[in-house]
Every structure is written in structure tokens, then in C-alpha cells.
Amino acid sequence: VVSLKHGLVLALAVLIFSLHSAHVESMFENERYFSALSQLEREMSFKSEQALYYSYYKDMVASIEAAPSFWQGFSAGFSRLVNNGATEYPESINIVQRFNIYPEVVL
């Protein structure tokens, strides 16, 4: 009886989560018409912190795509984040430590 109750609660939670996700996606799309924008317009629509984190993500992906293997690209991208000179020019700062993006880098 207990496992049936837990199963029903889990199923209800999954249903509520999926409905909420669809609702939030619909609201965002209706507000920004994001799918109709070009790549440049999408990048320009990001706000301050969103743009900063997106640029770090974009650097990591570009490094991984340019390298012959995933791990070489990952290490090159990680070193670019650790020795970042673009965020606070002319000084080089450790983005991973400064903005605590360890979880984002791992994911």
C-alpha cells in the first residue's frame, strides 16, 4: 500500500513538472518569439549574467569542437576559463573560481 501511494505521488509530481515546464516554455516563446530570431539576435537578447554565462558556455563548446578529441578540447576550454583575459581586461582572472561555475563546467 505504501509503494502504491509513493508511486501515485511520483506520477503526480512528474505530471505537474511537465505541465509547468510546458507553460514556462510557452510564456517565454510568446514574450520573445525566440524561435523566430537569428542566432545573433538570440545572443543579444540575453541580459547581463545570462550573457556572461552563455559566453563561457560558448567558449567551452568551441574549444571542444575545434580539438581532435573531447578531452583535449575540454582541457583547452577549461584553461581558457581559468586564464580569462576578456572579462576584466587587461587582467587575467580565474572565471571558474571567481563566479563559482564548477557545476556548469562539469555538466
Side-chain angles (χ1 to χ4, degrees), residues 63-79:
S63 296
I64 291 171
E65 287 178 348
S69 74
F70 172 80
W71 292 112
Q72 288 176 339
F74 182 82
S75 64
F78 190 77
S79 69

Side-chain angles (χ1 to χ4, degrees), residues 57 60-61 64 70-71 74 78 101-107:
Y57 168 77
M60 282 293 291
V61 170
I64 291 171
F70 172 80
W71 292 112
F74 182 82
F78 190 77
I101 61 170
Y102 291 106
E104 288 87 351
V105 169
V106 171
L107 293 177

Side-chain angles (χ1 to χ4, degrees), residues 12-91:
L12 182 63
V14 168
L15 175 67
I16 290 171
F17 172 76
S18 57
L19 289 174
H20 177 69
S21 296
H23 174 67
V24 169
E25 180 183 0
S26 166
M27 284 178 34
F28 184 76
E29 181 62 32
N30 290 341
E31 179 186 344
R32 307 247 183 210
Y33 300 108
F34 208 66
S35 62
L37 298 176
S38 70
Q39 182 67 24
L40 179 62
E41 291 171 325
R42 287 180 192 160
E43 291 176 6
M44 288 173 44
S45 72
F46 291 136
K47 304 286 189 270
S48 60
E49 287 182 8
Q50 291 174 335
L52 204 59
Y53 285 111
Y54 179 73
S55 72
Y56 303 148
Y57 168 77
K58 195 172 174 183
D59 284 347
M60 282 293 291
V61 170
S63 296
I64 291 171
E65 287 178 348
S69 74
F70 172 80
W71 292 112
Q72 288 176 339
F74 182 82
S75 64
F78 190 77
S79 69
R80 287 179 67 183
L81 292 178
V82 170
N83 301 313
N84 184 289
T87 303
E88 292 186 6
Y89 182 79
E91 298 173 10

